[in-house]
């Protein structure tokens, strides 16, 4: 618990209130307004909660002005370059980088939980074949509480641990099954002798008719996509998980709520929107036309995948993702893929244009991750499910942290009511 070191004075309507202030490890000071209603009979108004701290957390810190993203204090670019996804999962979940023995034990526990209950296969068949994979994932993850009753008691630390491992392990299997179901192919079971990212690629692209060998460059790129999307502080889906969790809901329901929120195009669908923009541009010779439109304030067109709401300088994840994108495109080639040709040329022209440099509109992580997933052969409908797989560790870590918080209370935002005042009911014949 952070201790208050100073106070803020708030004066209104002849009242003066002393509100405690806290200084975090990093970031601006925070004014505690939790007693504002009780002491001053007023609320604060903050649509989108963009100026409101909703919790204490020691997991992730973002400084958008500096372009900085830290997981437990470690810069994301260092983790993406030197670590791998399951090690980052351990870091987020337990607070420190693991020893070799701890990492081996953690990887073994995750690997041994990757299979899903066999009856869950029947659950998939209740969906239409053309159902969006995100719709399938929301339903299936929410239904996990019907299959794994022994890890739904949030008051039991051991059950919380089991639920966390199950979610990290099974989300790739569920996402791959959603993909296989959507394309009419048989489900592929996970294997215990290959790594996390390779297992996911194999479950998505292997078929019973032939052997499937995972290319290590593609596996590394997939692992980086998972790592770079692992957590992102108190974003919309994470806040949704925390709000659902505050009611005491089981962990599977909470993560399903996060998946549902992530589905929104303003959140998890950004890389899909980027690929759809590239498809709209269509060919390299049309790029100057669309760049001109992006500069025109009166034109509604915007370059998707450039700039970021949080990062006012550059997205610290983008440099690493660009390296992976270059490796994947060199491996697979772009000569016969017009969309990838457009992406490469759009990146080059935008980076060379002073307009985008002045406004700090650099390609972000969504631009490069969309290019990679397209090159790998994923349809755009799978981009957000893959994001959900990546972000599961962030949601689970935030959920576990919140459950252990002694100050946990059920979320209950207030409102600025603008409807009618109290009025009497009028009988229908007199209206």
């Amino acid at each position: 618990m952070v201790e208050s070191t100073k106070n803020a004075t708030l004066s209104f309507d002849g009242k003066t209130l002393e509100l405690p202030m806290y200084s975090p490890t990093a970031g601006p000071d925070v004014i505690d307004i939790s007693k504002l209603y009780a002491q001053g009979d007023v609320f604060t108004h903050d649509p989108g909660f963009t100026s409101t701290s909703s919790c204490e957390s020691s997991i992730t810190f973002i400084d958008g002005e500096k372009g900085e993203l830290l997981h437990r204090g470690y810069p994301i670019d260092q983790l993406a370059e030197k670590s791998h996804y399951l090690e980052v999962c351990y870091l987020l979940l337990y607070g420190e980088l693991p020893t070799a023995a701890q990492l081996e034990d953690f990887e073994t526990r995750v690997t041994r939980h990757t299979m899903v209950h066999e009856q869950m296969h029947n659950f998939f068949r209740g969906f239409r074949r053309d159902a969006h994979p995100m719709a399938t994932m929301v339903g299936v993850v929410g239904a996990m509480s019907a299959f794994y009753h022994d890890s739904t008691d949030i008051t039991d630390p051991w059950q919380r641990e089991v639920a966390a491992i199950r979610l990290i392990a099974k989300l790739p299997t569920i996402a791959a099954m959603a993909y296989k179901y959507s394309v009419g192919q048989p489900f592929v079971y996970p294997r215990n002798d290959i790594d996390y990212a390779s297992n996911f690629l194999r479950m998505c692209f292997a078929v019973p008719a032939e052997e499937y060998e995972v290319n290590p460059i593609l596996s590394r790129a997939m692992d980086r996509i998972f790592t770079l999307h692992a957590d992102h502080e108190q974003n919309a889906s994470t806040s949704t998980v925390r709000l659902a969790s505050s009611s005491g809901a089981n962990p599977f329901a909470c993560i399903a709520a996060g998946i549902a929120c992530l589905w929104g195009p303003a959140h998890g669908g950004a890389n899909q929107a980027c690929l759809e923009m590239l498809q709209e541009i269509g060919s390299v010779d049309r790029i100057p036309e669309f760049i001109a439109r992006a500069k025109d304030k009166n034109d509604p067109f915007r370059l998707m995948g450039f700039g970021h709401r949080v990062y006012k300088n550059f997205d610290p994840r983008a440099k690493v993702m660009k390296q992976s994108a270059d490796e994947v495109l060199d491996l697979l080639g772009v000569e016969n893929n017009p969309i990838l040709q457009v992406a490469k040329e759009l990146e080059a022209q935008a980076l060379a244009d002073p307009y985008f440099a002045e406004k700090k509109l650099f390609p972000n992580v969504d631009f490069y991750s969309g290019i990679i997933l397209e090159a790998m052969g994923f349809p755009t409908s799978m981009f957000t499910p893959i994001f959900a797989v990546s972000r599961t560790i962030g949601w689970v870590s935030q959920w576990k942290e919140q459950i252990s918080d002694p100050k946990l209370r059920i979320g209950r935002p207030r409102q600025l009511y603008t409807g009618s005042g109290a009025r009497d009911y009028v009988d229908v014949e007199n209206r």
Side-chain angles (χ1 to χ4, degrees):
M1 171 63 189
V2 180
E3 297 294 331
S4 174
T5 57
K6 50 189 174 182
N7 292 327
T9 302
L10 176 63
S11 299
F12 61 96
D13 294 340
K15 301 177 183 178
T16 299
L17 303 180
E18 295 293 322
L19 303 174
M21 293 183 68
Y22 304 113
S23 296
T25 305
D29 287 350
V30 175
I31 300 173
D32 184 348
I33 60 169
S34 57
K35 303 295 184 183
L36 183 61
Y37 179 45
Q39 297 177 359
D41 197 31
V42 294
F43 302 144
T44 57
H45 185 57
D46 183 20
F49 310 114
T50 55
S51 296
T52 299
S53 165
S54 62
C55 63
E56 285 186 33
S57 181
S58 60
I59 298 172
T60 298
F61 173 73
I62 296 171
D63 188 325
E65 296 298 328
K66 295 181 180 178
E68 184 176 67
L69 170 60
L70 307 177
H71 290 328
R72 304 288 191 179
Y74 294 98
I76 186 60
D77 55 338
Q78 291 184 23
L79 292 172
E81 288 280 2
K82 300 178 180 181
S83 185
H84 63 277
Y85 182 66
L86 283 185
E87 186 175 54
V88 172
C89 287
Y90 187 101
L91 172 67
L92 292 173
L93 202 57
Y94 301 115
E96 297 292 342
L97 288 171
T99 64
Q102 289 171 332
L103 181 58
E104 182 180 2
D105 173 71
F106 180 71
E107 290 178 336
T108 299
R109 285 188 289 143
V110 170
T111 300
R112 296 294 175 180
H113 275 289
T114 51
M115 289 183 64
V116 298
H117 196 289
E118 193 69 11
Q119 281 186 281
M120 292 185 76
H121 291 216
N122 298 326
F123 201 91
F124 281 85
R125 297 184 176 96
F127 294 95
R128 285 174 46 141
R129 284 284 181 182
D130 60 353
H132 195 289
M134 282 296 279
T136 306
M137 287 186 67
V138 169
V140 174
V141 174
M144 287 177 70
S145 58
F147 291 86
Y148 303 107
H149 323 116
D150 60 342
S151 56
T152 57
D153 182 358
I154 64 171
T155 64
D156 183 344
W158 174 248
Q159 291 199 30
R160 296 201 299 266
E161 178 71 13
V162 172
I165 296 298
R166 279 176 169 160
L167 283 161
I168 297 165
K170 297 182 191 302
L171 257 292
T173 308
I174 291 171
M177 292 173 73
Y179 172 63
K180 284 296 194 184
Y181 187 75
S182 71
V183 296
Q185 294 182 3
F187 298 141
V188 176
Y189 288 89
R191 280 175 44 176
N192 292 346
D193 60 340
I194 56 178
D195 65 84
Y196 191 89
S198 298
N199 219 348
F200 177 67
L201 289 172
R202 181 181 175 277
M203 288 189 291
C204 286
F205 296 123
V207 293
E210 59 189 31
E211 290 296 318
Y212 178 81
E213 294 293 331
V214 181
N215 186 291
I217 293 178
L218 299 186
S219 177
R220 177 61 175 156
M222 191 79 255
D223 188 88
R224 280 181 168 172
I225 287 176
F226 288 156
T227 298
L228 293 170
H229 289 90
D231 192 50
H232 211 236
E233 212 194 71
Q234 305 307 318
N235 53 79
S237 58
T238 299
S239 297
T240 298
V241 170
R242 279 184 172 266
L243 190 59
S245 170
S246 74
S247 73
N250 72 75
F252 306 110
C254 294
I255 301 307
I259 294 171
C261 180
L262 186 73
W263 195 359
H267 189 7
N271 50 11
Q272 179 173 341
C274 176
L275 257 292
E276 290 169 350
M277 174 200 69
L278 295 175
Q279 291 167 350
E280 181 185 358
I281 295 174
S283 61
V284 170
D285 60 332
R286 297 190 66 197
I287 290 175
E289 168 196 343
F290 282 86
I291 286 183
R293 290 181 59 188
K295 295 178 182 179
D296 185 353
K297 294 181 179 180
N298 298 318
D299 193 312
F301 175 78
R302 294 291 180 268
L303 280 184
M304 303 301 296
F306 287 78
H308 195 280
R309 179 185 177 186
V310 173
Y311 301 110
K312 306 306 180 186
N313 191 342
F314 64 93
D315 185 338
R317 303 166 295 174
K319 179 181 178 182
V320 181
M321 194 68 86
K322 172 177 168 51
Q323 179 183 341
S324 287
D326 290 340
E327 290 172 357
V328 169
L329 295 186
D330 287 343
L331 172 69
L332 300 178
V334 298
E335 294 80 7
N336 299 320
N337 189 319
I339 298 302
L340 298 181
Q341 290 174 349
V342 169
K344 292 281 282 185
E345 184 60 26
L346 178 61
E347 174 197 24
Q349 292 192 27
L351 288 174
D353 193 313
Y355 174 87
F356 294 98
E358 291 169 5
K359 295 189 175 294
K360 303 185 187 304
L361 295 176
F362 305 112
N364 60 34
V365 69
D366 297 310
F367 181 81
Y368 294 119
S369 64
I371 292 173
I372 293 171
L373 295 175
E374 164 78 10
M376 286 181 176
F378 284 105
T380 54
S381 62
M382 275 299 293
F383 288 7
T384 314
I386 290 170
F387 195 160
V389 172
S390 312
R391 185 55 55 85
T392 296
I393 180 56
W395 293 331
V396 168
S397 300
Q398 300 271 352
W399 167 78
K400 281 192 70 181
E401 180 181 67
Q402 182 182 32
I403 293 297
S404 303
D405 187 348
K407 297 189 301 179
L408 173 62
R409 298 177 63 190
I410 187 170
R412 179 55 169 91
R414 300 295 185 168
Q415 65 177 7
L416 175 61
Y417 178 69
T418 58
S420 300
R423 48 183 173 173
D424 293 326
Y425 178 82
V426 180
D427 293 332
V428 64
E429 61 269 17
N430 296 323
R431 293 179 208 158

